Amino acid sequence: MRFEHETLAQRVCFTPGDAAATVRAEVERLGGTRVMVIASPAEADLAGKVTTDVPVVLRHDEVVMHVPVASAERARAAAATHEVDLLVSVGGGSTTGLAKAVALTTGIPIVAVPTTYAGSEATSVWGLTEGARKTTGVDPRVLPRSIVYDATLTLSLPVAMSVASGLNALAHCVDSLWAPRTDPVDQALAGEGIRALAAGLSAVVAGPAGLEGREQVLYGAYLSAVAFSSAGSGLHHKICHVLGGAYDLPHAQTHAVVLPYVLAFNAPAAPRAERRIADALGDTSAVGGLQRLRRAVDAPKALRDHGFDKADIDDAARAILEVVPANNPRPVTPDRLRRLLRAAWQGADPLTLDGEES
Ligand code: NAD
């Protein structure tokens, strides 16, 4: 066994019902005296509750999905004006993303309090958009110093969004099994992540007010993000990155829809990944297990339901082909990719992908 695995340094606190006390402790530990709280207006109440005992000098609520450069600039300017020395982000991936954009140019440390299962808090990946172009990069300055996970903060996340967001996390796990820098540690994390996410999502759908399922999904989301951060973006993330950036599709739903098609495409050429996913899902086949879970939780089904236009398939395929990872288990031809996108647009059975080439 020969591999290199980089472990990212951050504190991870699972603290059900105790976010406020834990945030205060983390802010003190990091020496924060002038705190900027970043939370969208929708999460303002949650953010208020978890930052009651923190020296807040600014509450910033201009949060936009995919972090437009102009909104990042305004947040950076506000941080400078108020001489902020610590950021507390309370929200989903969009909110964490804005905090990362501020940290990227200022080096101000972040305490992240996630309220979805996006997982951005556990990666050193930042993303910014300008026009229709999404740029991402990796920088250690954007990795939150501390994460405060409190499953009670996700109780208000509607079931449909919980499912989409949890499947976004599951996609991190699946893609980590064949992404460019995948290693045995990532693969172990991904397997346990899939198990926790599948169990947790089923429990959330069965009883949205229950805490145990939400905790399992948060735990799985954390593992998924650690695996993804180390393994890098595989085919699935490259596809979703192009679709999200160029066509402004909703992040979590796009991941949730595309995942079974990429899995059905790669699984025959990646037998070890296939086995690990099937085992984690308690099924005899990875695609079968994923589809069973997707039916049970009423997962998002088709890209056409989320704003993707059939007429854009050819252009999207061209853009994706330029960024397909060289190590993908199966060669990606223009025809196969168009077929995958057509099937995902329509919500067709992923197992029909391998018919006659058109
Ligand atoms: P989001 O942050 O935009 O949140 C989606 C919606 O859920 C919003 O309307 C928000 O107000 C609402 N919401 C959040 N928490 C809630 C709660 N507890 N209760 C009720 N409503 C709540 O979406 P997301 O899927 O969490 O994040 C997507 C963004 O994160 C994308 O821009 C994506 O690129 C980025 N992302 C980055 C990384 C990374 O490593 N850099 C990883 C994953 C996602």
Side-chain angles (χ1 to χ4, degrees):
M1 200 183 263
R2 182 188 291 266
F3 67 90
E4 288 165 8
H5 175 87
E6 193 171 329
T7 302
L8 301 181
Q10 62 180 174
R11 265 170 71 82
V12 181
C13 312
F14 273 76
T15 171
D18 279 336
T22 313
V23 167
R24 186 188 59 220
E26 292 306 301
V27 169
E28 276 173 16
R29 207 178 55 78
L30 291 164
T33 57
R34 299 185 62 80
V35 172
M36 173 172 174
V37 177
I38 300 182
S40 75
E43 277 75 64
D45 282 352
L46 284 182
K49 282 184 195 137
V50 304
T51 54
T52 41
D53 295 336
V54 166
V56 177
V57 293
L58 174 64
R59 293 187 183 271
H60 186 88
D61 70 359
E62 192 206 348
V63 173
V64 185
M65 191 177 278
H66 304 313
V67 198
V69 168
S71 74
E73 294 291 356
R74 283 191 285 275
R76 290 165 179 162
T81 304
H82 289 81
E83 297 177 356
V84 165
D85 60 11
L86 193 120
L87 306 165
V88 175
S89 63
V90 184
S94 301
T95 308
T96 314
L98 181 61
K100 285 177 160 184
V102 176
L104 180 66
T105 54
T106 62
I108 301 175
I110 303 172
V111 173
V113 187
T115 63
T116 70
Y117 311 119
S120 175
E121 65 281 357
T123 82
S124 47
V125 179
W126 54 266
L128 287 165
T129 44
E130 195 152 27
R133 228 176 88 80
K134 183 167 179 179
T135 312
T136 58
V138 176
D139 194 303
R141 279 178 304 180
V142 309
L143 181 75
R145 300 281 184 86
S146 303
I147 309 174
V148 177
Y149 285 115
D150 176 350
T152 65
L153 303 179
T154 69
L155 285 170
S156 52
L157 196 62
V159 170
M161 183 62 202
S162 303
V163 166
S165 190
L167 290 172
N168 178 193
L170 207 143
H172 288 143
C173 294
V174 169
D175 223 23
S176 297
L177 295 169
W178 48 55
R181 300 187 304 274
T182 185
D183 66 44
V185 178
D186 305 333
Q187 292 158 17
L189 292 167
E192 170 65 358
I194 293 170
R195 188 206 59 73
L197 288 163
L201 281 176
S202 303
V204 167
V205 170
L211 206 54
E212 234 172 84
R214 304 261 179 197
E215 282 183 328
Q216 283 290 304
V217 184
L218 263 189
Y219 165 65
Y222 167 69
L223 297 180
S224 82
V226 176
F228 167 63
S229 194
S230 164
S233 289
L235 177 63
H236 173 85
H237 278 79
K238 295 296 185 187
I239 292 174
C240 294
H241 180 86
V242 168
L243 294 178
Y247 307 102
D248 201 25
L249 305 191
H251 180 84
Q253 291 82 351
T254 303
H255 278 265
V257 170
V258 170
L259 181 62
Y261 300 98
V262 176
L263 178 58
F265 180 79
N266 270 348
R272 286 175 64 177
E274 201 280 338
R275 196 83 324 266
R276 196 183 283 265
I277 297 164
D279 287 350
L281 292 171
D283 207 288
T284 52
S285 102
V287 178
L290 179 61
Q291 291 301 78
R292 189 167 49 83
L293 173 66
R294 286 171 47 80
R295 279 191 299 276
V297 300
D298 195 19
K301 289 182 187 64
L303 290 177
R304 65 178 167 189
D305 301 336
H306 297 283
F308 187 50
D309 190 339
K310 192 180 185 187
D312 289 326
I313 288 178
D314 287 357
D315 279 350
R318 268 191 290 278
I320 293 163
L321 278 169
E322 286 175 24
V323 293
V324 167
N327 78 323
N328 193 60
R330 193 171 166 198
V332 181
T333 63
D335 185 73
R336 283 174 177 165
L337 186 55
R338 279 194 298 269
R339 192 192 298 237
L340 186 156
L341 290 176
R342 269 200 300 273
W345 172 80
Q346 193 187 347
D349 179 353
L351 290 172
T352 59
L353 281 180
D354 275 329
E356 286 297 302
E357 300 267 320
S358 57

